[in-house]
Amino acid sequence: MAGVELAPTTIQVLQVLTVVIFAPALSGVIARLEARLQGRRGPRVLQPYYDLAKLFRKETLVPQDAGWVFAAGPVVAFMCYLVVPLLIPVLTTFPLPLGYMGDILGGAFILGLAGFAVALAAAETGSPYAQLGSSRAMTFGALIEPSLLFIVFTVALVTATDLPYFQAAATRASLSSTIRPAHLLAALAFFLLVLNDTGRIPVETHASTLEFGMIDEARAFEHSGPLLALLKWGSSMKQLILYVLLINVFAAPWGLAGSRAVGSVLLAIPVLLAKAFGVGAIFTVIDNSFSKLRLFKITEFMAAAFLLAILAVLVLYLGGG
Amino acid sequence: MAVAPPVPTSFSGGVEAIVLVMLLTEFAMLRAPLARSQIRLYAFQSLGFSGLAVSVAATQHLDDLYVLAALSFVLKVVVVPSIVLRLLRDARVDLAGSNRLGVASMVLLAIAISVFGFFVVGSLPVHARSLPTATLGLAAAMILVAFLLVILRSDVVSQAVGFFSLENGVSVASLALAARLPLIVEVAFLFDLLVAVVVFGVLMRLHHGRSQTLSTDALDRLRG
Amino acid sequence: MSWDLLVILTAPFAVSVACWWAPVRLAQALTLASGALTFVLAVLLVPAKTTTALSGWLRVDALSAVFLVAVAFLYLATAVFAIGYVRPAGEPKLAARYTRRLFAGMNLFAWSMAMAPVVNGLALLWVAIEVTTVISALLVATDDTDEASEAAWKYVLIASMGLGIALLATVVMYYAGSSAFGGAHELFYPSLIGAARHFPPQIVRLAFVLAVLGYGTKMGLVPVHTWLPDAHSEAPTPVSAMLSGSLLAVSFYAILRFYQVTERAVGPVFPRDVLLAFGVASLALAALYLASQRDLKRLFAYSSVEHMGVLAIGMSFSAPIAVVGVLLHVLAHAAAKGTAFFGAGSVVRKFGTKDMSRIRGGIGALPWTGPMLVLAVLGLAAMPPFGIFRSEFLIVSGGLSDPRDAVAAVLVVGVTISMLGLSWFTSRTMLTPSPEGTVRGETSAWIVSSMVIGLVALAILGVHPPGQLSDLLTRAAGELGARP
């Protein structure tokens, strides 16, 4: 068994498949957990898969004035989410061939392109709620951008590269490099970023039906059928991708496959899922213990993320911490 | 290709993390809307300082610092916060005063000013002896943010907390630069906290009885 | 082992403790005795070169002796004044408690201020000045009014933050020292000054700027002076006199100690420039504010800011004669400002208000203290034959021989503007005819005698300072690096 090795390309495809296949499961686990925390029984863990299957069977309704962007948006976004897992350490500690195709910033750009495509598609509908959602998402996206940049700078200063694989290796290297302040700060800032990008409290109530507080959720209002399925699937993939970045780059890059042996690569999948479920549980608890910020107070949240990220750079740059 | 800086040791990484948490607490005080939570944050920050003093005492074999750690624990974590909290309870005041700026702009301003502090310290040929050098920049940032807290928040509690936490910042700096400085200096500063609390108490009694507020907007009788 | 320093450090403290329990009369007598004793001992230290005690922890050289004399003189004069100062209106029991509290506090305050010039080393100096803050903050709040507690709060907050910065300065100087000494040291002046040449210059510069900012807060340098007018106007008058005449001077002393080290380490240009900036700002702002005051005690408070500006500017001149002038100015300002506050106390007692628009005909109402207050104000405005005239004359003539003689012109202009402010006050409140029904008479013989003491001292300093005092000033200027 140890003798059989997988080709790097196979592993790379496996990374993408892992994300594509298991992303709805993560959403299901989180929804279930959330329901239990609130004292409800909650949906089945596999419910998102049934939802997707049902949506794919339904017809697509297009608003009267919407052009081709309406249909292209979800597709482009979904494709973006397929590309990102090629660049980041999902299953392995060693960089895969296409891993050099883009650095952290490249990954962030692709995620940003996905968000842009969704926003454009939402704006195309002419529905006020969808447009509200897309304009808010873009505004807050722009506000959170500086924090992301500073996190990238931190990574660059720590590893002298900007590849996520090297940051993960640096995190793994020793206890000292895990508890060094710059690393802690960058990880914390990234955590806040993930909270924002996955539409969690305190930025957004993701399960709310109140349109006025919505940001991300509002954008899919006018889509239906397979397009809605792509949007939903895409957003759960985005969630898993962000979790993977948080786990495998900053927080706990352990349990990844160290070699190309079949056993270790296959073992890495359940380990990753277990870690993702753990992080999902943390997010769910946060979701249920805090209240949502008023829309105009969200800038405070952004300021906090920015503070953490900039401190990380400062501590590193001026103190070597 | 650039060379990555060396990874700090676990000790200095841990110590820096403590000071960093103290700085973040300072920022939290800056934005905390409730007077009560500001005091609790201050107590938490002081706890960090006590821990720092103990760790320096252990690594540098300076027994004086154990005394300092114990004293600042008793005074700054227990006595001062509980007295002030009690005064607040008697005055039945929850909200600290209004901010002169929005929270986000206040935090951004504080970030800018701490960057300034970092660079000033970074440009000086100073090397902390008993703590990692980054703590000096952090302490400078803490002191500057404490000043900002006093200037930007217009209520008595914030001003008091700002001064108290300034004391924490100065103490961290002196721990880093001059851990062997005679103990009496530090103790005198601790003593000053108590007097500030006494004056604070007198002020609360008189001032609150008159205007039912702790905002400094009411402290405008003397001007010119 | 010299016992005189120990007595200076114990007598006021012991008397302060006694004042808590002793009957009022006894407390007053003890305070007077302790004031006289401290002053005599301080004067006896004038001819001595350097006195040390307690294995070097106490040390009085010429520079400390100047400030010790200023503190001790004002202690004595205030002790005399305070006997005549009682709280206006109040039932006897409360009044007695108030008086006891005031006397105990005053003695303790004098003790802490005498401690500052007597101790050796920047660390202990900081502790002593910290103690003065602690005590004086409580003293400012003695009157228990809204305004007094507001002033005390501002004072304790701003002064303590300033002292936090001063502690940072001390720590940085310790660091500079330990990089030359290679380990722990006690921050004693002689060793610091001796080794200053080996200190890293940038660090010493940082320490000096922090020290001027930190101690400057207590000294009342603009822009960190904001607590000063409030505290001076709301404190009980004896406390105001001591705050203004000696506390500000003691803070200046702390800056001078940093100046000594800095001057050796990085040369005199840098510290002089720093002091010049603060001094010009203080002088200019105070001179402008003086003209717009309505409150009698605030007027004198701003005059203090002005004189602190003069001190800082004087230190920025390179001529030795200017430094001698600065040290003389410390003494003369203590005498003049003390006397002015005593007079203000008398006026406030007589008219029951500090509001200058309601004080008319002071000279007519107060046959002794009225004219003497006018004289003290003239002294503050640097009129001959008083001490401030002589000291400012020395400073200006030193300034004119300086390459930056324009600053001397600024100094003269600033002093003249503030003289206008002061004389406007005098002519409005003191020299106007008394309104109908004013009762002519003094409130207390003690107040009269305290002002006599102050004016006599001021005149002696102006007309003919004793030879040994001049010697002392020259020696102290030499210690500050100003050798002819």
Side-chain angles (χ1 to χ4, degrees):
Chain A
M1 174 145 166
V4 186
E5 291 198 343
L6 290 169
T9 327
T10 320
I11 302 177
Q12 204 136 32
V13 172
L14 211 55
Q15 297 217 59
V16 178
L17 285 180
T18 309
V19 171
V20 173
I21 294 172
F22 293 108
L26 177 63
S27 304
V29 168
I30 290 178
R32 172 89 177 177
L33 201 63
E34 191 159 11
R36 297 313 289 251
L37 275 179
Q38 292 164 355
R40 295 183 281 121
R41 244 185 55 217
R44 283 169 297 181
V45 170
L46 297 182
Q47 187 62 40
Y49 293 101
Y50 293 107
D51 288 350
L52 288 178
K54 185 180 74 185
L55 284 171
F56 271 117
R57 284 199 302 272
K58 292 204 162 189
E59 62 174 332
T60 301
L61 292 176
V62 180
Q64 217 163 21
D65 299 324
W68 59 272
V69 177
F70 177 80
V75 179
V76 170
F78 193 79
M79 273 156 48
C80 288
Y81 296 133
L82 289 179
V83 173
V84 179
L86 296 174
L87 308 176
I88 59 174
V90 181
L91 297 177
T92 60
T93 56
F94 50 90
L96 295 163
L98 289 177
Y100 294 105
M101 204 166 63
D103 53 11
I104 290 194
L105 218 46
F109 278 154
I110 298 176
L111 285 178
L113 177 63
F116 175 69
V118 175
L120 217 55
E124 186 74 10
T125 61
S127 147
Y129 287 129
Q131 284 182 339
L132 189 76
S134 64
S135 89
R136 281 176 181 174
M138 287 292 103
T139 310
F140 293 128
L143 287 177
I144 204 84
E145 207 87 314
S147 319
L148 179 68
L149 274 179
F150 274 98
I151 294 173
V152 173
F153 291 159
T154 313
V155 171
L157 281 168
V158 167
T159 63
T161 75
D162 49 3
L163 288 174
Y165 283 101
F166 287 92
Q167 172 61 41
T171 310
R172 237 183 346 257
S174 64
L175 177 67
S176 329
S177 56
T178 315
I179 63 166
R180 69 189 293 180
H183 176 256
L184 292 179
L185 282 171
L188 212 56
F190 193 76
F191 183 83
L192 295 186
L193 230 70
V194 174
L195 270 184
N196 175 60
D197 279 352
T198 52
R200 290 283 159 171
I201 278 185
V203 178
E204 185 182 0
T205 321
H206 73 110
S208 152
T209 49
L210 187 70
E211 291 88 349
F212 285 118
M214 283 186 176
I215 301 172
D216 281 352
E217 295 282 311
R219 298 188 301 183
F221 261 20
E222 295 296 321
H223 286 83
S224 54
L227 287 180
L228 181 58
L230 280 182
L231 279 179
K232 285 203 168 233
W233 201 347
S235 85
S236 56
M237 275 163 70
K238 176 183 171 192
Q239 172 169 287
L240 182 55
I241 289 169
L242 289 169
Y243 283 14
V244 165
L245 277 174
L246 179 64
I247 298 165
N248 282 354
V249 176
F250 291 106
W254 293 282
L256 293 175
S259 70
R260 289 188 279 133
V262 176
S264 64
V265 172
L266 288 184
L267 185 66
I269 297 177
V271 171
L272 173 77
L273 289 180
K275 287 191 287 188
F277 293 156
V279 171
I282 295 173
F283 277 106
T284 314
V285 171
I286 291 178
D287 222 31
N288 282 282
S289 353
F290 294 92
S291 55
K292 182 187 161 332
L293 285 171
R294 277 191 297 137
L295 198 66
F296 298 110
K297 291 264 176 189
I298 291 179
T299 47
E300 290 179 24
F301 179 82
M302 310 290 175
F306 184 59
L307 168 68
L308 294 173
I310 202 168
L311 277 182
V313 172
L314 283 179
V315 169
L316 253 182
Y317 181 65
L318 292 165
Chain B
M1 191 166 120
V3 179
V7 178
T9 62
S10 295
F11 168 72
S12 64
V15 164
E16 275 175 30
I18 294 181
V19 182
L20 205 59
V21 170
M22 288 174 74
L23 175 62
L24 290 177
T25 319
E26 190 72 54
F27 272 92
M29 287 177 207
L30 188 64
R31 75 158 294 274
L34 296 182
R36 213 166 285 266
S37 53
Q38 277 185 326
I39 309 283
R40 296 214 175 96
L41 284 167
Y42 166 69
F44 178 71
Q45 192 188 44
S46 310
L47 190 65
F49 175 72
S50 299
L52 208 60
V54 167
S55 63
V56 174
T59 50
Q60 304 271 309
H61 307 292
L62 292 171
D63 294 341
D64 283 6
L65 288 179
Y66 286 117
V67 180
L68 178 65
L71 264 177
S72 44
F73 180 81
V74 171
L75 273 183
K76 299 199 287 191
V77 183
V78 182
V79 176
V80 169
S82 55
I83 292 179
V84 176
L85 281 178
R86 192 170 164 168
L87 285 169
L88 283 177
R89 204 166 36 240
D90 293 346
R92 281 191 286 277
V93 176
D94 283 335
L95 277 181
S98 58
N99 306 333
R100 288 176 216 265
L101 286 176
V103 171
S105 16
M106 211 152 71
V107 172
L108 289 183
L109 193 63
I111 290 176
I113 205 168
S114 8
V115 171
F116 169 76
F118 262 102
F119 273 97
V120 167
V121 172
S123 70
L124 288 170
V126 191
H127 295 285
R129 296 236 158 73
S130 38
L131 288 175
T133 303
T135 50
L136 268 182
L138 291 171
M142 226 151 97
I143 292 170
L144 291 173
V145 177
F147 270 110
L148 218 56
L149 175 58
V150 174
I151 293 167
L152 291 181
R153 297 288 299 262
S154 54
D155 62 291
V156 180
V157 180
S158 292
Q159 288 185 345
V161 168
F163 162 57
F164 294 163
S165 58
L166 173 93
E167 193 264 357
N168 271 341
V170 173
S171 304
V172 171
S174 68
L175 215 51
L177 279 179
R180 284 163 210 273
L181 196 69
L183 177 68
I184 182 168
V185 175
E186 297 280 345
V187 173
F189 211 11
L190 285 181
F191 186 56
D192 193 42
L193 288 187
L194 282 184
V195 175
V197 170
V198 171
V199 177
F200 178 76
V202 173
L203 189 79
M204 291 271 284
R205 187 163 51 74
L206 287 171
H207 182 59
H208 182 70
R210 188 185 75 206
S211 55
Q212 293 291 316
T213 165
L214 290 177
S215 167
T216 47
D217 294 342
L219 288 182
D220 60 351
R221 301 202 158 194
L222 306 172
R223 52 171 56 171
Chain C
M1 192 71 173
S2 52
W3 51 271
D4 38 5
L5 298 188
L6 292 178
V7 174
I8 287 178
L9 281 192
T10 42
F13 189 82
V15 169
S16 164
V17 174
C19 284
W20 279 109
W21 287 285
V24 171
R25 288 279 158 215
L26 182 60
Q28 291 172 336
L30 280 175
T31 305
L32 200 56
S34 152
L37 179 66
T38 311
F39 181 62
V40 168
L41 287 176
V43 168
L44 285 179
L45 282 171
V46 165
K49 284 256 181 261
T50 300
T51 321
T52 54
L54 284 186
S55 56
W57 289 99
L58 305 182
R59 179 173 180 278
V60 172
D61 54 11
L63 183 60
S64 351
V66 173
F67 287 86
L68 188 59
V69 168
V71 168
F73 171 76
L74 211 56
Y75 178 31
L76 173 61
T78 311
V80 175
F81 170 77
I83 296 175
Y85 178 88
V86 272
R87 193 185 198 186
E91 50 183 298
K93 204 171 171 191
L94 275 180
R97 209 174 74 189
Y98 176 86
T99 312
R100 264 210 294 276
R101 227 165 68 180
L102 183 65
F103 271 83
M106 262 173 47
N107 281 301
L108 210 55
F109 190 29
W111 167 74
S112 65
M113 286 192 297
M115 191 156 71
V118 168
V119 293
N120 186 9
L122 294 178
L124 282 181
L125 173 67
W126 185 86
V127 172
I129 292 189
E130 177 69 53
V131 174
T132 63
T133 310
V134 164
I135 297 166
S136 52
L138 295 176
L139 274 175
V140 170
T142 310
D143 274 354
D144 233 12
T145 57
D146 279 353
E147 285 85 356
S149 62
E150 177 183 336
W153 174 248
K154 285 180 181 168
Y155 174 45
V156 81
L157 193 75
I158 298 174
S160 301
M161 293 193 88
L163 281 178
I165 300 303
L167 175 60
L168 209 56
T170 313
V171 165
V172 172
M173 196 56 106
Y174 180 91
Y175 173 79
S178 62
S179 51
F181 295 124
H185 57 105
E186 309 288 1
L187 283 164
F188 284 158
Y189 307 129
S191 54
L192 271 186
I193 296 169
R197 272 177 294 114
H198 309 294
F199 290 2
Q202 248 185 316
I203 308 233
V204 174
R205 284 200 193 104
L206 175 70
F208 184 71
V209 171
L210 288 175
V212 172
L213 207 59
Y215 288 122
T217 309
K218 279 213 79 174
M219 183 185 161
L221 291 178
V222 172
V224 279
H225 69 290
T226 44
W227 62 273
L228 192 145
D230 299 348
H232 281 60
S233 66
E234 299 309 324
T237 305
V239 178
S240 311
M242 288 170 97
L243 274 176
S244 173
S246 36
L247 179 72
L248 306 187
V250 163
S251 315
F252 180 57
Y253 167 79
I255 294 180
L256 287 184
R257 283 298 181 189
F258 273 86
Y259 177 89
Q260 272 185 313
V261 180
T262 312
E263 191 240 322
R264 300 294 155 99
V266 301
V269 176
F270 175 77
R272 281 182 189 152
D273 285 349
V274 173
L275 284 174
L276 180 66
F278 279 95
V280 169
S282 310
L283 178 62
L285 197 94
L288 295 178
Y289 266 87
L290 263 174
S292 63
Q293 291 310 309
R294 303 173 159 279
D295 180 311
L296 184 53
K297 286 168 82 177
R298 284 182 91 81
L299 180 85
F300 291 142
Y302 274 108
S303 156
S304 298
V305 176
E306 176 225 330
H307 283 286
M308 291 305 120
V310 171
L311 288 179
I313 294 178
M315 275 316 289
S316 75
F317 293 143
S318 55
I321 191 173
V323 179
V324 174
V326 164
L327 295 171
L328 180 63
H329 197 84
V330 168
L331 294 173
H333 178 250
K337 192 50 64 63
T339 315
F341 269 112
F342 299 154
S346 168
V347 168
V348 171
R349 271 283 296 286
K350 185 79 185 174
F351 292 88
T353 176
K354 291 184 292 188
D355 187 355
M356 291 197 280
S357 60
R358 285 162 56 197
I359 303 171
R360 287 290 175 268
I363 287 218
L366 296 161
W368 286 89
T369 53
M372 282 198 290
L373 177 57
V374 173
L375 285 181
V377 170
L378 288 179
L380 278 178
M383 285 291 144
F386 294 116
I388 290 187
F389 169 73
R390 177 182 282 266
S391 63
E392 287 189 356
F393 184 79
L394 290 177
I395 293 174
V396 170
S397 56
L400 287 175
S401 65
D402 194 89
R404 290 183 298 204
D405 47 5
V407 178
V410 171
L411 180 64
V412 172
V413 171
V415 169
T416 312
I417 294 178
S418 46
M419 191 193 108
L420 286 179
L422 285 171
S423 39
W424 183 78
F425 142 76
T426 325
S427 52
R428 285 283 300 283
T429 58
M430 303 308 289
L431 304 178
T432 40
S434 312
E436 290 292 313
T438 312
V439 185
R440 192 177 152 85
E442 285 299 334
T443 48
S444 155
W446 289 103
I447 294 183
V448 177
S449 15
S450 71
M451 291 186 76
V452 170
I453 296 175
L455 279 181
V456 168
L458 194 59
I460 291 177
L461 288 177
V463 177
H464 183 70
Q468 284 189 324
L469 188 67
S470 306
D471 255 17
L472 178 77
L473 296 179
T474 318
R475 269 188 290 131
E479 285 171 6
L480 285 169
R483 282 169 211 84

